[in-house]
Amino acid sequence: MIKKVAILTSGGDAPGMNSAIRAIVKSAHWKGLETFLVYGGYKGLTEGNIVKSSNIEIDRYINQGGTFIYSSRFPEFIDPEVREKAKKQLIDKGIEALIVIGGDGSYHGAQLLHTIGIKTICLPGTIDNDISSSDYTIGFFTALETIVSSVDKIRDTARSHHRCIIVEVMGRYAGDLAAHAGIATGAELIITSENKKTVDEMIEVVDYQMNKLKKDSVIIITTEHIYDDINSIAKEIESKTKVETRGSVLGHIQRGGTPTSMERYLSTIMGNFAIELLCEDKSGFAIGFVKNELVSEPILKALEKPKQKYFDTVEKFSKINQEN
Ligand code: ADP
């Protein structure tokens, strides 16, 4: 059985990464393993920024957002020579295994380390929920809470001024955050990359809702990367409908913050499961939470899974939310 395991966080930070690290460290110690923290993702790994975790007060991180071992974007890791350097850093310290918390890019890096002899396990850490081998990823629930509470506030001001507000949320190319937030806030129009709307279609909805049905506000929620500039779309809607319209890009507030209780639960059971898999000598596996159960499957298989589809659901709820 392995004796030493390292942990790194990579790609976009996500609330719950810290509670996952804590769970991994404590579960590993419980099993008699030594743990090491890699500071700064694959960049830190390649540079040998690896510290034994025994002196760190790990419990204090259970409820902190971000990742206290830092993350990085390090495209150089695509180079096999760079990965060999990273491998050497682990081998020199007698570390046989690495647990990676990150998104699908980070999964690729872990898979490649697995093929050159480092035992790897991946945990889905991304607010975007775009890792289809898990129903939910670490970070998604907290980002969703932030979006929902922000949209609730935006609705207050939209109502007070009879406005339409277009809210752009994160998610990269996945519509999970927009779909869940749109349904949870009763948005009159939910837009994801699967169900893009033209500006004319938006105008039609705003005109009908505000000028015909005399509603006091309209909220449109859209995933990022669909429109170049929601503020110019807002201007166009306003000029055609005479309804005051604004754009609101929620931005980086969606990434940070105290992880929700579901986030802490999910990241803790996943972190513990990662250690259990390593103790069973598993490598090259990705962990997921599917239908209320922890699952694991080869990283490559996890990466091939088709993304969640929301077309019918978001179309239905947009229509229901447009009803008077
Ligand atoms: P995420 O993990 O959130 O999807 P990125 O796509 O930025 O974020 O990936 C995080 C890091 O994983 C990259 O900066 C790089 O170091 C590593 N990585 C991404 N893709 C690959 C790949 N194809 N091969 C090796 N390493 C990769």
Side-chain angles (χ1 to χ4, degrees):
M1 198 175 87
I2 61 152
K3 291 198 170 65
K4 294 183 180 184
V5 56
I7 308 149
L8 71 74
T9 49
S10 169
D13 64 301
M17 282 181 161
N18 281 332
S19 33
I21 299 164
R22 171 193 169 272
I24 292 166
V25 168
K26 291 188 79 111
S27 303
H29 292 176
W30 188 51
K31 292 271 187 187
L33 307 182
E34 271 182 67
T35 53
F36 293 80
L37 303 173
V38 179
Y39 285 85
Y42 289 125
K43 184 171 190 291
L45 178 64
T46 307
E47 292 167 358
N49 207 349
I50 303 168
V51 175
K52 204 166 169 208
S53 65
S54 48
N55 293 329
I56 288 160
E57 289 175 60
I58 202 75
D59 279 330
R60 65 165 58 210
Y61 295 105
I62 194 164
N63 62 352
Q64 292 188 13
T67 162
F68 82 97
I69 58 173
Y70 311 125
S71 188
S72 64
R73 309 260 189 209
F74 185 54
E76 292 86 339
F77 209 63
I78 291 169
D79 180 348
E81 279 182 26
V82 174
R83 291 197 298 273
E84 282 298 334
K85 260 191 214 160
K87 174 183 170 179
K88 190 169 179 310
Q89 298 287 2
L90 292 170
I91 300 294
D92 286 351
K93 291 183 173 59
I95 300 168
E96 307 107 318
L98 178 70
I99 298 173
V100 172
I101 311 168
D104 51 7
S106 306
Y107 274 37
H108 279 108
Q111 167 62 21
L112 291 165
L113 285 174
H114 160 71
T115 61
I116 58 170
I118 299 294
K119 292 183 193 301
T120 56
I121 301 288
C122 290
L123 262 64
T126 163
I127 65 165
D128 305 328
N129 210 41
D130 59 352
I131 296 188
S132 309
S133 53
S134 188
D135 288 349
Y136 299 107
T137 57
I138 295 168
F140 174 71
F141 287 111
T142 309
L144 182 59
E145 281 310 307
T146 303
I147 295 170
V148 167
S149 66
S150 305
V151 173
D152 286 347
K153 290 172 185 135
I154 286 169
R155 177 74 85 171
D156 288 345
T157 188
R159 275 202 179 114
S160 306
H161 291 273
H162 284 84
R163 279 183 187 161
C164 164
I165 302 191
I166 310 169
V167 185
E168 184 183 290
V169 303
M170 283 185 171
R172 258 195 189 172
Y173 300 98
D176 299 51
L177 281 172
H180 284 72
I183 291 167
T185 57
E188 280 77 5
L189 195 55
I190 307 164
I191 302 173
T192 70
S193 50
E194 288 173 66
N195 67 318
K196 292 177 188 162
K197 301 290 174 203
T198 62
V199 179
D200 283 344
E201 285 171 311
M202 291 188 219
I203 288 169
E204 200 179 311
V205 169
V206 175
D207 186 43
Y208 193 79
Q209 297 290 301
M210 299 294 285
N211 298 331
K212 264 259 164 43
L213 295 182
K214 302 287 178 204
K215 282 203 184 165
D216 60 10
S217 58
V218 164
I219 296 291
I220 300 175
I221 293 189
T222 175
T223 309
E224 63 184 344
H225 299 308
I226 294 183
Y227 305 105
D228 287 340
D229 177 15
I230 58 166
N231 291 308
S232 65
I233 294 175
K235 278 195 186 121
E236 204 176 330
I237 293 174
E238 183 166 319
S239 88
K240 297 269 168 56
T241 62
K242 306 297 170 223
V243 173
E244 263 192 64
T245 304
R246 301 282 187 273
S248 178
V249 179
L250 291 190
H252 283 89
I253 58 159
Q254 296 164 92
R255 284 203 171 279
T258 305
T260 63
S261 38
M262 185 59 190
E263 212 78 87
R264 295 188 215 176
Y265 171 75
L266 195 62
S267 53
T268 300
I269 60 169
M270 282 184 172
N272 172 257
F273 192 42
I275 292 298
E276 285 180 0
L277 292 179
L278 284 175
C279 288
E280 289 167 18
D281 212 29
K282 295 257 174 69
S283 174
F285 274 75
I287 288 175
F289 188 68
V290 177
K291 296 197 174 98
N292 227 17
E293 267 189 50
L294 285 168
V295 294
S296 66
E297 63 185 323
I299 297 170
L300 282 181
K301 244 180 113 184
L303 285 168
E304 280 165 9
K305 287 246 161 85
K307 303 279 181 239
Q308 195 118 324
K309 297 269 178 248
Y310 288 102
F311 181 84
D312 291 339
T313 311
V314 297
E315 287 291 311
K316 178 171 77 180
F317 281 98
S318 288
K319 290 276 178 315
I320 289 172
N321 293 340
Q322 286 167 24
E323 286 295 311
N324 222 347

